[in-house]
Amino acid sequence: MSRRECLEAVAAALSSGQTFLATTHVRPDGDALGSLTALMLGLETLGKTVHAYTEDAPAAMYHFLPAIGRIGVGPPPPDLGSAVDAAIALDCASLDRAGALRKHLVAAPRLISVDHHSDGVPFGDVRCTDGDASSTAELMMELLVDIMGVGLTMELATCLLAGHVFDTGRFSQSNATPTAFRNAARLVEAGADPEAIVRDMHDTMPLHRLRLKGRALERAEIDETSGLTWSLLSRDDFASLSARPEDAEGIVVDLRVVAGSSAAALISEVKPRECRVSMRSRGDDVDVARLAMHFGGGGHTRAAGCTIEAPPDEAIRLLLQAAREHLAAGPE
Ligand code: 5GP
Ligand code: MN
């Protein structure tokens, strides 16, 4: 099925319902939340009711998104899943990515999935998964505006542009395709403000977060064998700066700049025997999703993540060992 055909099937499923439960993945990012708020605004314009929930609270950097304050955080009322006409999961490569929302999604009479991961486990009665899309927001724009005829207001354009900006690394990665740029032009014409979006989403942070970044940068190391630049933030770092694990989001991008490295990884000790690893590759010839999958995580070629159930020293050892095996450039 072509992208247009599967999006038309999603549009038909949305058109035939009146009330929806919608969610996105745990620790939602700019594409996840841009897509979710776009869905809320779009379906509400069509006179429908959307109950949006995420397992984790949207980080402060996303508070500028219209409708963000109407996303419920945590579990929805227990009977909501069975009371709606359909449930919708956005930007979820697999059903597990919805976290605790999963059981509410599967309780709905119909489950719809829209996603752009190519490494996932597709799910849903009606779904559109297109790994060629720059972002889930790109699919949502085609779905809502081009197929369902929702007017492109400034608010909707802001949500959709935020998703594109986030997932293309501010239009700097290989998924910044001609389609993504064409969409951006339409969204800016509709009133979205790219400068304000980038400032709010990427160029604004509390002082403790800047200091957390400082610690990660200061401690950066490069593993010569794999070319992985890596750093660690310990529980002490987070505690002494009154920072939370989500404050480490995005720091890995600053580690990726090291000349001669193939990829970067930031290890955050979130619990005594639990380390979150965030990874970014420097080029399409290095696939960090493979490295993440080695530890049961996943993602895209250029951006991936996983959790390693081990204390930091052990997590670093395991990560470097796996990096030496999986980060070789080029086809296997
Ligand atoms: P981040 O480094 O920003 O946390 O994650 C980068 C990308 O990797 C996300 O957009 C997501 O696609 C993927 N990702 C991160 N953590 C996980 C994980 O634990 N499991 C899976 N399957 N994907 C992940
Ligand atoms: Mn995405």
Side-chain angles (χ1 to χ4, degrees), residues 95-216:
L95 197 44
D96 287 342
R97 295 282 290 149
L101 265 296
R102 180 194 168 120
K103 67 172 193 283
H104 300 272
L105 295 176
V106 298
R110 216 169 186 197
L111 178 55
I112 302 168
S113 163
V114 179
D115 180 49
H116 71 122
H117 294 81
S118 44
D119 70 325
V121 185
F123 62 94
D125 307 303
V126 184
R127 61 176 174 244
C128 187
T129 301
D130 186 349
D132 291 334
S134 65
S135 52
T136 297
E138 178 178 317
L139 298 172
M140 295 309 288
M141 181 164 167
E142 188 170 338
L143 173 71
L144 295 170
V145 181
D146 299 335
I147 299 175
M148 301 187 78
V150 174
L152 196 49
T153 59
M154 187 179 77
E155 287 76 19
L156 180 58
T158 299
C159 301
L160 292 169
L161 187 58
H164 283 77
V165 165
F166 190 90
D167 264 23
T168 59
R170 313 182 203 186
F171 292 93
S172 68
Q173 296 164 190
S174 60
N175 62 342
T177 57
T179 302
F181 278 108
R182 271 193 292 272
N183 285 356
R186 285 174 68 194
L187 295 167
V188 173
E189 273 165 0
D193 180 348
E195 183 183 356
I197 290 172
V198 168
R199 186 188 57 229
D200 289 346
M201 202 160 61
H202 291 295
D203 290 346
T204 305
M205 62 175 76
L207 185 60
H208 71 261
R209 213 170 151 189
L210 186 74
R211 289 181 169 153
L212 191 70
K213 185 196 279 206
R215 292 201 188 176

Side-chain angles (χ1 to χ4, degrees), residues 215-236:
R215 292 201 188 176
L217 300 188
E218 190 176 50
R219 244 177 246 151
E221 302 276 353
I222 182 162
D223 176 58
E224 298 293 346
T225 315
S226 61
L228 183 73
T229 299
W230 62 273
S231 189
L232 170 73
L233 289 171
S234 67
R235 288 201 307 144
D236 280 350

